[in-house]
Amino acid sequence: MSAKLVKPKPQHAPKAPHEDPKFLESTPARPLRILAEYIDPIAKLKAEGVGDTIVMFGSARIDSREDALARLGRLKEAKTGKTAQAKAKHKVALRSAKSALEMSRYYEEARVLSHKITTWAMSLGPKPRRFVVCSGGGPGIMEAANRGAYEAGGKSIGLSIELPHEQFANPYISPELSFNFHYFFMRKLWFAQIAKALIVFPGGFGTMDELWEMMTLLQTGKLPKDNLILIYGKKYWDEVLNWKAMVRWGTINEAEYKLLQFADNVDDAFEVIRSGLEKYHMEVDPFLQAY
């Protein structure tokens, strides 16, 4: 006859799947993580009464005029060293600082433009909040956009992204509208989903990526044709991209080229945005109102 089995002691049930970090971080749970990056913004945007957005893109590497001047001043006062190598290194750094000071105009102009847009948008009332400035959450032009809205006394949105190098959300984002994404494509969805205008300041790979994405969505009718894309900064963009060449080569047509509008100063940019919004977008988008 076999030995009598010992009765096992009661044990705690395992955590429910939604409370289990190991499961939530696993490959099978990837759809849940993606869905969370869709549902969480809906809930928070709805709670804050956001109706739609104006997205402002641009380089994270463009400093404020104050910071650019301070950097240049430090370099001018620094001892250069006696070797040819040290002098050459200082000369390169000085040239870079002078370029940064020139580019800082875009930080200041993004800041002023965001202030003007926010001031005008707040005059339309808070229920819902119309045309809320939205940035990528980081430094540079993104910071300038959030800063302008903050200085106007309005709310603004920051869509930050987890990156291999450390990045902090800039301090001017409204805390209740500060989001952090793991997936680039979900972040892009929220740039596009409720935006009525895109203002593109000088930028690099990230700015180009987001610009082409929006233009392709407009070109293919995935976004309304009357959504606005404004390219800001003639000196930079005329050197970096030859838009008309694409028309001449037949890779885009004239109507597609006309999806773009251009401005080189704050007043012109504001007039393009304000008049376009008043013409096409004063009726509230039902998307967020449906939740």
Side-chain angles (χ1 to χ4, degrees):
M1 187 175 178
S2 60
K4 187 177 180 181
L5 294 175
V6 177
K7 183 180 179 180
K9 293 180 179 180
Q11 56 183 313
H12 289 290
K15 288 183 176 181
H18 71 277
E19 295 178 331
D20 183 354
K22 185 176 180 181
F23 167 69
L24 290 175
E25 293 170 7
S26 68
T27 299
R30 188 170 188 258
L32 296 179
R33 297 194 299 274
I34 293 169
L35 194 58
E37 294 193 359
Y38 185 72
I39 295 174
D40 179 65
I42 286 177
K44 291 177 180 175
L45 291 166
K46 178 71 174 175
E48 291 302 314
V50 174
D52 34 40
T53 60
I54 305 298
V55 175
M56 296 179 70
F57 289 154
S59 176
R61 303 180 186 186
I62 295 177
D63 293 328
S64 68
R65 180 168 178 79
E66 179 183 8
D67 288 347
L69 278 170
R71 176 185 168 193
L72 182 60
R74 288 192 300 269
L75 281 168
K76 285 181 174 179
E77 293 173 3
K79 295 180 180 179
T80 60
K82 296 180 180 179
T83 67
Q85 184 179 13
K87 289 178 180 178
K89 186 177 180 180
H90 182 264
K91 187 176 181 180
V92 169
L94 203 59
R95 188 184 309 123
S96 175
K98 289 177 179 177
S99 177
L101 180 59
E102 182 180 4
M103 290 294 283
S104 72
R105 63 162 280 209
Y106 295 115
Y107 179 106
E108 300 304 334
E109 289 168 20
R111 178 179 168 186
V112 174
L113 180 56
S114 175
H115 190 291
K116 287 175 74 75
I117 290 170
T118 302
T119 300
W120 171 73
M122 287 193 299
S123 74
L124 303 175
K127 295 182 179 180
R129 299 179 194 277
R130 302 302 311 275
F131 313 126
V132 178
V133 167
C134 175
S135 85
I141 295 298
M142 296 176 281
E143 177 184 288
N146 294 117
R147 184 174 179 177
Y150 173 84
E151 291 169 341
K155 290 181 181 287
S156 69
I157 300 166
L159 306 182
S160 301
I161 185 75
E162 291 179 350
L163 297 173
H165 55 277
E166 191 172 32
Q167 178 175 311
F168 297 93
N170 74 67
Y172 300 103
I173 302 165
S174 300
E176 61 277 14
L177 291 171
S178 184
F179 301 95
N180 192 30
F181 293 85
H182 176 74
Y183 298 105
F184 263 108
F185 66 92
M186 291 306 298
R187 182 186 188 228
K188 287 180 178 180
L189 181 147
W190 280 110
F191 275 135
Q193 185 78 64
I194 57 173
K196 295 296 177 283
L198 169 67
I199 305 172
V200 190
F201 279 77
F205 289 168
T207 302
M208 298 294 185
D209 175 51
E210 291 150 354
L211 170 59
W212 299 131
E213 182 101 15
M214 290 286 203
M215 287 174 62
T216 302
L217 291 171
L218 276 178
Q219 181 190 47
T220 56
K222 300 298 183 182
L223 289 176
K225 292 285 187 183
D226 51 18
N227 278 19
L228 308 170
I229 295 184
L230 177 67
I231 307 298
Y232 191 100
K234 181 177 175 61
K235 184 176 181 181
Y236 177 84
W237 289 110
D238 282 356
E239 185 174 343
V240 171
L241 288 173
N242 189 339
W243 309 94
K244 277 293 190 178
M246 288 189 276
V247 179
R248 289 197 302 272
W249 284 98
T251 52
I252 65 171
N253 60 37
E254 190 68 32
E256 290 164 335
Y257 171 75
K258 288 180 179 177
L259 292 172
L260 300 170
Q261 298 187 66
F262 300 88
D264 202 39
N265 64 70
V266 169
D267 289 341
D268 288 350
F270 177 69
E271 182 56 30
V272 168
I273 295 298
R274 185 194 58 77
S275 61
L277 295 175
E278 288 182 342
K279 183 175 181 179
Y280 297 112
H281 296 295
M282 296 312 290
E283 186 175 340
V284 178
D285 190 315
F287 174 72
L288 282 175
Q289 314 311 310
Y291 287 89

